[in-house]
Protein backbone atom coordinates (compact mmCIF):
# COMPACT_ATOMS: atom_id res chain seq x y z
CA UNK A 1 0.00 0.00 0.00
CA UNK A 2 1.41 3.38 -0.97
CA UNK A 3 2.22 5.92 1.73
CA UNK A 4 0.17 9.10 1.90
CA UNK A 5 1.67 11.81 -0.22
CA UNK A 6 3.88 14.22 1.70
CA UNK A 7 4.44 16.74 -1.02
CA UNK A 8 6.52 14.54 -3.21
CA UNK A 9 6.43 16.76 -6.25
CA UNK A 10 5.23 20.12 -7.28
CA UNK A 11 2.39 18.51 -9.11
CA UNK A 12 1.22 16.85 -5.90
CA UNK A 13 2.20 13.28 -6.74
CA UNK A 14 4.64 11.02 -5.00
CA UNK A 15 8.30 11.59 -6.02
CA UNK A 16 8.65 7.88 -6.79
CA UNK A 17 6.09 5.17 -7.46
CA UNK A 18 4.56 3.89 -4.22
CA UNK A 19 6.82 5.81 -1.80
CA UNK A 20 6.54 9.11 0.03
CA UNK A 21 9.41 11.56 0.12
CA UNK A 22 10.34 10.88 3.74
CA UNK A 23 10.69 7.19 3.09
CA UNK A 24 12.72 7.85 -0.04
CA UNK A 25 15.09 10.20 1.81
CA UNK A 26 15.40 7.72 4.68
CA UNK A 27 16.27 4.94 2.26
CA UNK A 28 18.82 7.08 0.44
CA UNK A 29 20.32 8.14 3.77
CA UNK A 30 20.82 4.50 4.76
CA UNK A 31 22.35 3.60 1.40
CA UNK A 32 24.79 6.52 1.44
CA UNK A 33 25.66 5.84 5.09
CA UNK A 34 26.46 2.18 4.36
CA UNK A 35 28.47 3.24 1.30
CA UNK A 36 30.56 5.67 3.34
CA UNK A 37 30.83 3.14 6.16
CA UNK A 38 32.67 0.83 3.80
CA UNK A 39 34.97 3.70 2.82
CA UNK A 40 35.54 4.68 6.45
CA UNK A 41 36.55 1.18 7.45
CA UNK A 42 39.57 1.38 5.14
CA UNK A 43 40.84 4.73 6.47
CA UNK A 44 43.09 3.26 9.21
CA UNK A 45 44.07 0.33 6.98
CA UNK A 46 45.39 1.84 3.75
CA UNK A 47 48.64 3.54 4.90
CA UNK A 48 49.97 0.54 6.82
CA UNK A 49 48.71 -1.91 4.18
CA UNK A 50 50.87 -0.10 1.63
CA UNK A 51 53.88 -0.25 3.97
CA UNK A 52 53.34 -3.99 4.40
CA UNK A 53 54.08 -4.31 0.66
CA UNK A 54 57.29 -2.30 0.99
CA UNK A 55 55.97 1.16 0.11
CA UNK A 56 57.40 4.20 1.86
CA UNK A 57 55.27 7.02 3.25
CA UNK A 58 55.23 8.92 -0.05
CA UNK A 59 53.98 5.95 -2.07
CA UNK A 60 51.46 5.19 0.66
CA UNK A 61 50.26 8.78 0.49
CA UNK A 62 49.82 8.47 -3.27
CA UNK A 63 47.65 5.43 -2.62
CA UNK A 64 45.52 7.54 -0.28
CA UNK A 65 45.23 10.34 -2.85
CA UNK A 66 44.28 7.96 -5.67
CA UNK A 67 40.74 7.65 -4.36
CA UNK A 68 40.06 11.40 -4.43
CA UNK A 69 41.63 11.75 -7.87
CA UNK A 70 39.42 9.09 -9.43
CA UNK A 71 36.41 10.34 -7.48
CA UNK A 72 36.91 13.82 -8.92
CA UNK A 73 37.09 12.34 -12.42
CA UNK A 74 34.32 9.81 -11.91
CA UNK A 75 31.69 12.08 -10.33
CA UNK A 76 30.74 13.99 -13.51
CA UNK A 77 30.83 10.80 -15.58
CA UNK A 78 28.44 8.98 -13.26
CA UNK A 79 26.36 12.12 -12.96
CA UNK A 80 25.88 12.42 -16.71
CA UNK A 81 25.26 8.68 -17.00
CA UNK A 82 22.52 8.95 -14.38
CA UNK A 83 20.91 11.74 -16.42
CA UNK A 84 20.84 9.44 -19.44
CA UNK A 85 20.20 6.00 -17.91
CA UNK A 86 18.58 6.77 -14.57
CA UNK A 87 19.68 7.28 -10.95
CA UNK A 88 18.94 3.76 -9.73
CA UNK A 89 21.01 1.86 -12.35
CA UNK A 90 24.03 4.09 -11.75
CA UNK A 91 23.82 3.73 -7.97
CA UNK A 92 23.59 -0.05 -8.36
CA UNK A 93 26.54 -0.01 -10.77
CA UNK A 94 28.67 2.05 -8.39
CA UNK A 95 27.88 -0.18 -5.42
CA UNK A 96 28.78 -3.27 -7.48
CA UNK A 97 32.10 -1.70 -8.40
CA UNK A 98 32.79 -0.89 -4.75
CA UNK A 99 32.18 -4.52 -3.76
CA UNK A 100 34.77 -5.59 -6.34
CA UNK A 101 37.24 -2.92 -5.19
CA UNK A 102 37.09 -3.78 -1.48
CA UNK A 103 37.33 -7.50 -2.27
CA UNK A 104 40.45 -6.86 -4.34
CA UNK A 105 41.89 -5.07 -1.32
CA UNK A 106 41.47 -8.18 0.74
CA UNK A 107 43.18 -10.51 -1.76
CA UNK A 108 45.87 -8.09 -2.96
CA UNK A 109 48.69 -10.18 -1.51
CA UNK A 110 47.52 -13.34 -3.24
CA UNK A 111 46.39 -11.70 -6.48
CA UNK A 112 49.49 -9.60 -7.11
CA UNK A 113 51.84 -12.43 -8.11
CA UNK A 114 49.03 -14.14 -10.02
CA UNK A 115 48.70 -11.17 -12.40
CA UNK A 116 52.44 -10.73 -12.81
CA UNK A 117 52.85 -7.79 -10.46
CA UNK A 118 55.93 -7.52 -8.27
CA UNK A 119 53.67 -7.51 -5.21
CA UNK A 120 50.15 -6.64 -4.18
CA UNK A 121 50.79 -2.90 -4.18
CA UNK A 122 49.79 -2.71 -7.85
CA UNK A 123 46.50 -4.40 -7.00
CA UNK A 124 45.95 -1.92 -4.15
CA UNK A 125 46.38 1.03 -6.51
CA UNK A 126 44.00 -0.50 -9.05
CA UNK A 127 41.41 -1.26 -6.37
CA UNK A 128 41.77 2.19 -4.83
CA UNK A 129 41.25 3.85 -8.21
CA UNK A 130 38.19 1.70 -8.92
CA UNK A 131 36.75 2.51 -5.49
CA UNK A 132 37.31 6.23 -6.10
CA UNK A 133 35.62 6.14 -9.50
CA UNK A 134 32.65 4.32 -7.98
CA UNK A 135 32.71 6.77 -5.05
CA UNK A 136 31.89 9.47 -7.54
CA UNK A 137 28.27 8.38 -7.08
CA UNK A 138 27.89 11.36 -4.74
CA UNK A 139 26.92 13.35 -7.84
CA UNK A 140 24.18 10.82 -8.54
CA UNK A 141 23.01 10.85 -4.91
CA UNK A 142 22.81 14.66 -4.98
CA UNK A 143 20.87 14.48 -8.24
CA UNK A 144 18.49 11.94 -6.70
CA UNK A 145 17.80 14.43 -3.89
CA UNK A 146 17.02 17.08 -6.49
CA UNK A 147 14.61 14.68 -8.21
CA UNK A 148 12.53 13.99 -5.12
CA UNK A 149 12.56 17.36 -3.34
CA UNK A 150 11.22 20.76 -4.37
CA UNK A 151 13.81 23.58 -4.56
CA UNK A 152 12.83 25.04 -1.18
CA UNK A 153 13.57 21.71 0.60
CA UNK A 154 16.67 20.78 -1.36
CA UNK A 155 19.20 22.13 1.15
CA UNK A 156 17.57 20.04 3.88
CA UNK A 157 17.78 16.94 1.71
CA UNK A 158 21.43 17.56 0.94
CA UNK A 159 22.00 18.03 4.65
CA UNK A 160 20.71 14.49 5.19
CA UNK A 161 23.39 13.20 2.84
CA UNK A 162 25.97 15.26 4.73
CA UNK A 163 24.91 13.59 7.97
CA UNK A 164 25.28 10.18 6.34
CA UNK A 165 28.81 11.14 5.30
CA UNK A 166 29.74 12.22 8.80
CA UNK A 167 28.38 9.09 10.46
CA UNK A 168 30.17 6.86 7.95
CA UNK A 169 33.49 8.46 8.81
CA UNK A 170 32.82 8.08 12.55
CA UNK A 171 31.68 4.45 12.63
CA UNK A 172 33.90 3.15 9.82
CA UNK A 173 37.23 3.37 11.70
CA UNK A 174 35.54 1.97 14.82
CA UNK A 175 34.47 -1.14 12.91
CA UNK A 176 37.98 -1.45 11.47
CA UNK A 177 39.41 -1.40 14.98
CA UNK A 178 36.98 -4.08 16.07
CA UNK A 179 37.57 -6.55 13.22
CA UNK A 180 41.35 -6.05 13.27
CA UNK A 181 41.74 -6.59 17.02
CA UNK A 182 43.82 -9.61 18.13
CA UNK A 183 40.72 -11.35 19.51
CA UNK A 184 38.82 -10.93 16.23
CA UNK A 185 41.76 -12.11 14.14
CA UNK A 186 42.24 -15.21 16.27
CA UNK A 187 38.52 -15.98 16.12
CA UNK A 188 38.39 -15.57 12.33
CA UNK A 189 41.47 -17.73 11.76
CA UNK A 190 39.74 -20.57 13.62
CA UNK A 191 36.42 -19.97 11.86
CA UNK A 192 37.40 -19.39 8.21
CA UNK A 193 39.08 -21.86 5.85
CA UNK A 194 42.82 -21.47 5.41
CA UNK A 195 42.37 -20.21 1.86
CA UNK A 196 40.92 -16.93 3.20
CA UNK A 197 43.73 -14.54 4.18
CA UNK A 198 43.18 -13.15 7.69
CA UNK A 199 45.21 -10.17 8.90
CA UNK A 200 44.74 -6.70 10.33
CA UNK A 201 44.52 -5.46 6.71
CA UNK A 202 42.41 -8.10 5.00
CA UNK A 203 39.61 -8.48 7.54
CA UNK A 204 38.61 -4.78 7.37
CA UNK A 205 38.74 -5.03 3.57
CA UNK A 206 36.44 -8.04 3.50
CA UNK A 207 34.15 -6.39 6.07
CA UNK A 208 33.85 -3.34 3.83
CA UNK A 209 33.07 -5.61 0.87
CA UNK A 210 30.38 -7.50 2.82
CA UNK A 211 28.72 -4.31 4.05
CA UNK A 212 28.74 -2.86 0.55
CA UNK A 213 27.29 -6.11 -0.85
CA UNK A 214 24.48 -5.92 1.71
CA UNK A 215 23.99 -2.29 0.69
CA UNK A 216 23.76 -3.36 -2.95
CA UNK A 217 21.03 -5.87 -2.11
CA UNK A 218 19.18 -3.23 -0.08
CA UNK A 219 19.35 -0.69 -2.90
CA UNK A 220 18.23 -3.28 -5.45
CA UNK A 221 15.21 -4.26 -3.36
CA UNK A 222 13.96 -0.94 -1.98
CA UNK A 223 15.43 1.99 -3.92
CA UNK A 224 13.14 3.00 -6.81
CA UNK A 225 13.77 5.21 -9.80
CA UNK A 226 12.33 8.73 -9.42
CA UNK A 227 9.35 9.61 -11.58
CA UNK A 228 11.27 12.42 -13.25
CA UNK A 229 14.85 13.60 -13.29
CA UNK A 230 15.74 17.17 -12.50
CA UNK A 231 17.56 18.79 -15.40
CA UNK A 232 20.99 20.30 -15.16
CA UNK A 233 21.85 18.87 -11.72
CA UNK A 234 24.36 16.14 -12.39
CA UNK A 235 25.71 17.48 -15.64
CA UNK A 236 26.96 20.68 -14.03
CA UNK A 237 29.61 18.55 -12.32
CA UNK A 238 31.47 18.32 -15.60
CA UNK A 239 32.44 21.99 -15.50
CA UNK A 240 33.79 22.02 -11.96
CA UNK A 241 37.30 23.15 -12.90
CA UNK A 242 35.89 26.09 -14.84
CA UNK A 243 33.55 26.91 -11.96
CA UNK A 244 36.44 26.83 -9.52
CA UNK A 245 38.52 29.11 -11.72
CA UNK A 246 35.67 31.59 -12.07
CA UNK A 247 34.97 31.46 -8.33
CA UNK A 248 38.59 32.18 -7.45
CA UNK A 249 38.45 35.29 -9.64
CA UNK A 250 35.20 36.43 -8.07
CA UNK A 251 35.53 39.35 -5.63
CA UNK A 252 32.62 37.96 -3.59
CA UNK A 253 33.63 34.38 -2.85
CA UNK A 254 37.13 33.97 -4.32
CA UNK A 255 38.89 34.38 -0.96
CA UNK A 256 36.46 32.02 0.73
CA UNK A 257 36.79 29.22 -1.84
CA UNK A 258 40.59 29.51 -1.71
CA UNK A 259 40.41 29.39 2.10
CA UNK A 260 38.28 26.25 1.92
CA UNK A 261 40.79 24.64 -0.47
CA UNK A 262 43.74 25.44 1.81
CA UNK A 263 41.90 24.22 4.91
CA UNK A 264 40.97 20.95 3.20
CA UNK A 265 44.54 20.60 1.89
CA UNK A 266 45.99 21.06 5.37
CA UNK A 267 43.63 18.67 7.14
CA UNK A 268 43.98 15.99 4.46
CA UNK A 269 47.76 16.29 4.87
CA UNK A 270 47.31 15.70 8.61
CA UNK A 271 44.96 12.74 8.09
CA UNK A 272 47.20 11.04 5.55
CA UNK A 273 50.35 11.23 7.69
CA UNK A 274 48.71 10.66 11.08
CA UNK A 275 48.82 6.86 10.82
CA UNK A 276 52.40 6.88 9.51
CA UNK A 277 53.36 9.06 12.48
CA UNK A 278 51.73 6.86 15.11
CA UNK A 279 53.13 3.72 13.49
CA UNK A 280 56.68 5.06 13.31
CA UNK A 281 56.76 6.78 16.71
CA UNK A 282 54.37 4.67 18.81
CA UNK A 283 54.33 1.36 16.93
CA UNK A 284 50.55 1.54 16.50
CA UNK A 285 48.79 -0.76 14.06
CA UNK A 286 45.32 -0.71 12.51
CA UNK A 287 43.35 -1.33 15.72
CA UNK A 288 45.08 1.35 17.80
CA UNK A 289 44.88 3.93 15.04
CA UNK A 290 41.21 3.12 14.56
CA UNK A 291 40.55 4.07 18.19
CA UNK A 292 42.31 7.42 17.77
CA UNK A 293 40.57 8.20 14.48
CA UNK A 294 37.20 7.28 15.96
CA UNK A 295 37.85 9.64 18.87
CA UNK A 296 38.65 12.51 16.49
CA UNK A 297 35.66 11.71 14.29
CA UNK A 298 33.26 11.66 17.24
CA UNK A 299 34.56 15.02 18.45
CA UNK A 300 34.08 16.59 15.00
CA UNK A 301 30.58 15.14 14.71
CA UNK A 302 29.58 16.39 18.19
CA UNK A 303 30.86 19.91 17.50
CA UNK A 304 29.25 20.09 14.07
CA UNK A 305 25.97 18.60 15.21
CA UNK A 306 25.53 20.18 18.62
CA UNK A 307 27.80 23.17 19.21
CA UNK A 308 28.26 25.01 15.93
CA UNK A 309 24.63 26.14 15.76
CA UNK A 310 24.50 27.87 19.17
CA UNK A 311 28.00 29.28 18.72
CA UNK A 312 27.07 30.69 15.33
CA UNK A 313 23.97 32.35 16.78
CA UNK A 314 26.12 34.07 19.38
CA UNK A 315 29.34 34.89 17.54
CA UNK A 316 28.60 34.57 13.80
CA UNK A 317 30.23 32.56 11.03
CA UNK A 318 33.04 35.03 10.44
CA UNK A 319 34.42 34.89 13.99
CA UNK A 320 34.05 31.11 14.20
CA UNK A 321 35.99 30.69 10.96
CA UNK A 322 38.80 32.84 12.34
CA UNK A 323 38.90 30.97 15.65
CA UNK A 324 38.82 27.58 13.92
CA UNK A 325 41.67 28.53 11.59
CA UNK A 326 43.79 29.91 14.44
CA UNK A 327 43.26 26.80 16.57
CA UNK A 328 44.23 24.49 13.70
CA UNK A 329 47.32 26.55 12.89
CA UNK A 330 48.64 25.91 16.40
CA UNK A 331 47.48 22.36 17.05
CA UNK A 332 48.49 20.89 13.70
CA UNK A 333 52.04 22.12 14.23
CA UNK A 334 52.08 20.63 17.75
CA UNK A 335 50.90 17.14 16.75
CA UNK A 336 54.29 15.52 15.94
CA UNK A 337 56.05 17.06 18.93
CA UNK A 338 53.35 16.11 21.43
CA UNK A 339 54.43 12.47 21.26
CA UNK A 340 57.60 13.27 23.24
CA UNK A 341 56.21 15.70 25.83
CA UNK A 342 57.81 14.67 29.15
CA UNK A 343 55.18 16.41 31.30
CA UNK A 344 52.24 14.28 30.09
CA UNK A 345 51.77 11.12 32.19
CA UNK A 346 50.61 7.73 31.02
CA UNK A 347 47.07 6.67 31.86
CA UNK A 348 47.12 3.01 32.78
CA UNK A 349 47.95 0.98 29.66
CA UNK A 350 47.86 4.12 27.47
CA UNK A 351 51.36 5.49 27.08
CA UNK A 352 52.11 9.18 27.57
CA UNK A 353 52.63 9.85 23.84
CA UNK A 354 49.12 8.64 23.00
CA UNK A 355 47.65 10.67 25.87
CA UNK A 356 49.40 13.81 24.64
CA UNK A 357 48.25 13.13 21.09
CA UNK A 358 44.66 12.83 22.30
CA UNK A 359 45.01 16.11 24.22
CA UNK A 360 46.22 17.95 21.11
CA UNK A 361 43.65 16.26 18.87
CA UNK A 362 40.77 17.54 21.01
CA UNK A 363 41.13 21.26 20.16
CA UNK A 364 42.26 20.27 16.66
CA UNK A 365 38.96 18.47 16.02
CA UNK A 366 37.07 21.42 17.51
CA UNK A 367 38.86 23.88 15.22
CA UNK A 368 38.32 21.70 12.17
CA UNK A 369 34.59 21.48 12.79
CA UNK A 370 34.31 25.25 13.26
CA UNK A 371 36.31 26.00 10.12
CA UNK A 372 34.49 23.59 7.80
CA UNK A 373 30.98 24.60 8.80
CA UNK A 374 31.72 28.33 8.97
CA UNK A 375 33.51 28.50 5.63
CA UNK A 376 30.67 26.59 3.97
CA UNK A 377 28.18 29.00 5.51
CA UNK A 378 30.17 32.06 4.45
CA UNK A 379 30.37 30.83 0.86
CA UNK A 380 26.62 30.26 0.90
CA UNK A 381 25.94 33.70 2.40
CA UNK A 382 28.01 35.39 -0.28
CA UNK A 383 26.28 33.50 -3.12
CA UNK A 384 23.02 34.64 -4.62
CA UNK A 385 19.72 33.09 -3.62
CA UNK A 386 19.54 31.14 -6.88
CA UNK A 387 23.19 30.03 -6.69
CA UNK A 388 23.18 27.93 -3.52
CA UNK A 389 23.62 24.60 -5.29
CA UNK A 390 26.57 25.97 -7.20
CA UNK A 391 28.06 27.35 -3.99
CA UNK A 392 27.97 23.96 -2.29
CA UNK A 393 29.36 22.37 -5.44
CA UNK A 394 32.31 24.76 -5.36
CA UNK A 395 33.28 23.83 -1.81
CA UNK A 396 32.94 20.11 -2.61
CA UNK A 397 35.12 20.48 -5.69
CA UNK A 398 37.73 22.49 -3.81
CA UNK A 399 37.82 19.86 -1.06
CA UNK A 400 38.09 17.03 -3.60
CA UNK A 401 41.07 18.63 -5.32
CA UNK A 402 42.69 19.36 -1.97
CA UNK A 403 42.31 15.74 -0.86
CA UNK A 404 44.06 14.71 -4.06
CA UNK A 405 47.15 16.89 -3.83
CA UNK A 406 47.31 17.28 -0.03
CA UNK A 407 48.28 13.70 0.89
CA UNK A 408 50.80 13.48 -1.96
CA UNK A 409 52.56 16.68 -0.92
CA UNK A 410 52.50 15.68 2.74
CA UNK A 411 53.96 12.25 1.99
CA UNK A 412 56.81 13.83 0.04
CA UNK A 413 57.60 16.12 2.98
CA UNK A 414 57.48 13.19 5.40
CA UNK A 415 60.04 11.23 3.37
CA UNK A 416 62.26 14.01 2.01
CA UNK A 417 62.39 16.43 4.97
CA UNK A 418 61.31 15.04 8.35
CA UNK A 419 58.41 13.31 10.06
CA UNK A 420 57.27 16.57 11.63
CA UNK A 421 57.39 18.69 8.46
CA UNK A 422 53.96 17.90 6.92
CA UNK A 423 52.21 18.78 10.19
CA UNK A 424 54.09 22.06 10.60
CA UNK A 425 53.40 23.01 6.97
CA UNK A 426 49.74 22.08 7.41
CA UNK A 427 49.52 24.39 10.41
CA UNK A 428 51.31 27.15 8.52
CA UNK A 429 48.73 26.97 5.71
CA UNK A 430 46.15 28.41 8.08
CA UNK A 431 48.11 31.66 8.31
CA UNK A 432 47.20 32.70 4.73
CA UNK A 433 43.65 31.54 5.50
CA UNK A 434 43.52 34.08 8.32
CA UNK A 435 44.80 36.73 5.89
CA UNK A 436 42.22 35.75 3.25
CA UNK A 437 39.41 35.84 5.80
CA UNK A 438 40.54 39.34 6.69
CA UNK A 439 39.48 40.38 3.20
CA UNK A 440 35.93 39.31 3.96
CA UNK A 441 34.76 42.22 6.06
CA UNK A 442 32.12 41.92 8.72
CA UNK A 443 30.02 44.50 6.90
CA UNK A 444 29.93 42.39 3.75
CA UNK A 445 28.92 39.27 5.66
CA UNK A 446 26.22 41.19 7.53
CA UNK A 447 24.94 42.74 4.31
CA UNK A 448 24.68 39.42 2.46
CA UNK A 449 23.07 37.78 5.48
CA UNK A 450 20.38 40.44 5.50
Amino acid sequence: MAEPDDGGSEAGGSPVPGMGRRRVLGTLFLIVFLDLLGFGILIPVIPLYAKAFGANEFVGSLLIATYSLFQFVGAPVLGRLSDERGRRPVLLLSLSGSVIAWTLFGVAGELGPAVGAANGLVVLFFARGLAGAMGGNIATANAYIADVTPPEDRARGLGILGAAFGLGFVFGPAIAGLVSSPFALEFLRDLLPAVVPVSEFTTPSFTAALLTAANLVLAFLVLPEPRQRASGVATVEGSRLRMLRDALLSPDIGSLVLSFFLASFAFSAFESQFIFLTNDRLGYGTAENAVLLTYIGVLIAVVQGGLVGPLTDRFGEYRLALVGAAVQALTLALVPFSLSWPFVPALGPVESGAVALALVSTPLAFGNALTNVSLNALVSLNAGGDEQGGAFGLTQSAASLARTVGPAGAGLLYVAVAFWSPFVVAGALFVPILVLLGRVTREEVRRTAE
Side-chain angles (χ1 to χ4, degrees), residues 411-431:
L412 183 61
L413 287 172
Y414 196 105
V415 172
V417 181
F419 73 92
W420 51 262
S421 58
F423 302 95
V424 173
V425 170
L429 285 176
F430 281 93
V431 176

Side-chain angles (χ1 to χ4, degrees), residues 394-411:
L394 286 172
T395 56
Q396 288 179 0
S397 298
S400 183
L401 279 178
R403 288 192 297 267
T404 299
V405 297

Side-chain angles (χ1 to χ4, degrees), residues 113-129:
V115 297
N119 57 41
L121 190 61
V122 174
V123 179
L124 288 186
F125 269 97
F126 175 81
R128 185 71 171 165

Side-chain angles (χ1 to χ4, degrees), residues 307-401:
L307 296 180
V308 169
L311 289 174
T312 300
D313 293 338
R314 181 166 183 176
F315 300 106
E317 293 88 354
Y318 180 80
R319 289 179 180 175
L320 292 188
L322 287 174
V323 170
V327 168
Q328 288 189 90
L330 176 62
T331 52
L332 280 171
L334 288 177
V335 163
F337 307 108
S338 66
L339 300 178
S340 57
W341 283 347
F343 53 84
V344 177
L347 292 178
V350 183
E351 57 189 299
S352 61
V355 175
L357 188 59
L359 290 176
V360 174
S361 298
T362 300
L364 172 60
F366 181 80
N368 176 261
L370 291 184
T371 304
N372 281 346
V373 176
S374 299
L375 285 177
N376 261 313
L378 286 171
V379 171
S380 178
L381 286 172
N382 281 268
D386 58 346
E387 299 173 344
Q388 294 302 300
F392 287 119
L394 286 172
T395 56
Q396 288 179 0
S397 298
S400 183
L401 279 178

Side-chain angles (χ1 to χ4, degrees), residues 97-152:
S98 295
V99 172
I100 295 173
W102 302 143
T103 302
L104 288 175
F105 255 74
V107 297
E110 289 70 26
L111 188 60
V115 297
N119 57 41
L121 190 61
V122 174
V123 179
L124 288 186
F125 269 97
F126 175 81
R128 185 71 171 165
L130 175 61
M134 297 298 99
N137 61 14
I138 181 56
T140 305
N142 284 337
Y144 199 113
I145 290 291
D147 295 338
V148 300
T149 56
E152 62 270 17

Side-chain angles (χ1 to χ4, degrees), residues 217-236:
V217 174
L218 173 68
F220 179 80
L221 293 177
V222 304
L223 187 69
E225 179 69 18
R227 287 187 182 276
Q228 58 184 13
R229 293 194 286 272
S231 61
V233 176
T235 53
V236 73

